[in-house]
Amino acid sequence: MTMRLVLAAMAIVIGTSSAAQAAPAKKAVAHRAPAKTAWASMIVATPEGGVRIGNPNAKVKLVEFGSRTCPHCAHFDADGLPALRTGYIATGQVSYEFRDFPIHGALDLGPILLGHCVPTRAFFPLLNAMMANQEKLVGRPDQVPADKQQQLQGAKPTEIAAYLSKFYGYTDLVVQKGMPLAKATACLADTKAVDLVAQRAAAANKAYAVNSTPTFLINGVAQANTFTWAALEPLLRAAVAK
């Protein structure tokens, strides 16, 4: 190889090497921890007619059969549900599902129909509002007049639901929360929805012998004599720890 070719070859090698050294280094890619799932914001309707909040694959599945006119249910909604949301549900360990159960018969029917007459994401806000106002609504001192009670004895379930919802203020409550009166009236007149309430109550009785509210299920097992957050929370803690 002539000296000229050797020098040319060296120039190529040196030039290539210098270019490689001068090339800017690639920036390191930052690896971030995956964002936590907002389980407390995950709300879906269930095939059983309830609405569930939380991780669908949670280790512990909590179900409440509750009544919107039941004082014990209202107390749990105020005392237990907030702690449940921010603790067990937020961590993905526990999911919570509310299933309406008409423990007070005709009195419960209207609130149930109205409570399911909203989009799924609005289910719990309306349920919470009904529970928070329960004492003011069904705890009012005056009762349905005797003559009206007699008239209602032969009335259709939808007529009874519409009258009691209006009398006790549930219709006004949902209207105040943004539901058009025409929609509320239509929901209270929905005979198919009434049939569903009856069918689901019968199914709950058959499967779990529900005869009081609240009745809690932990992974499908009814918990006896458990009506408060103070009684329920240790059971949840033990179930999570298993």
Side-chain angles (χ1 to χ4, degrees):
M1 181 180 292
T2 65
M3 183 60 66
R4 182 175 295 178
L5 290 176
V6 171
L7 292 175
M10 290 179 61
I12 293 173
V13 172
I14 293 172
T16 303
S17 177
S18 299
Q21 292 177 1
K26 292 184 179 179
K27 292 183 178 179
V29 178
H31 293 281
R32 297 180 180 178
K36 290 184 178 180
T37 303
W39 295 121
S41 298
M42 188 171 290
I43 303 170
V44 297
T46 67
E48 294 78 14
V51 176
R52 184 185 67 227
I53 177 173
N55 181 1
N57 299 311
K59 179 179 181 180
V60 178
K61 294 175 173 57
L62 174 66
V63 174
E64 176 190 357
F65 287 100
S67 160
R68 295 168 191 257
T69 64
C70 159
H72 291 296
C73 299
H75 291 155
F76 177 77
D77 189 86
D79 300 334
L81 196 51
L84 188 62
R85 276 178 182 266
T86 57
Y88 293 98
I89 293 175
T91 61
Q93 296 173 304
V94 176
S95 64
Y96 166 75
E97 179 183 347
F98 183 89
R99 299 181 190 173
D100 278 286
F101 189 85
I103 196 71
H104 295 138
L107 183 59
D108 278 312
L109 183 56
I112 292 174
L113 295 175
L114 294 171
H116 286 265
C117 200
V118 294
T120 301
R121 294 203 65 81
F123 178 88
F124 282 109
L126 182 55
L127 175 65
N128 298 152
M130 287 185 176
M131 293 297 193
N133 287 279
Q134 184 191 103
E135 186 175 353
K136 182 174 66 176
L137 296 169
V138 294
R140 55 189 288 180
D142 55 324
Q143 299 297 315
V144 177
D147 59 339
K148 189 63 180 180
Q149 291 185 37
Q150 292 180 348
Q151 293 176 20
L152 292 176
Q153 287 180 3
K156 297 177 181 178
T158 51
E159 294 173 348
I160 298 172
Y163 177 83
L164 294 181
S165 292
K166 181 62 179 175
F167 180 84
Y168 286 106
Y170 284 98
T171 304
D172 290 340
L173 176 64
V174 298
V175 170
Q176 291 170 7
K177 296 297 179 181
M179 184 184 298
L181 179 58
K183 182 177 180 180
T185 301
C187 290
L188 291 168
D190 188 343
T191 56
K192 291 183 179 180
V194 172
D195 291 342
L196 272 177
V197 172
Q199 291 168 16
R200 289 165 178 167
N205 270 323
K206 182 178 181 180
Y208 307 107
V210 177
N211 56 17
S212 62
T213 54
T215 289
F216 293 105
L217 310 181
I218 294 180
N219 289 338
V221 178
Q223 306 300 303
N225 302 315
T226 304
F227 308 109
T228 64
W229 175 242
L232 177 65
E233 197 276 335
L235 302 179
L236 287 178
R237 193 182 332 124
V240 168
K242 284 183 180 179

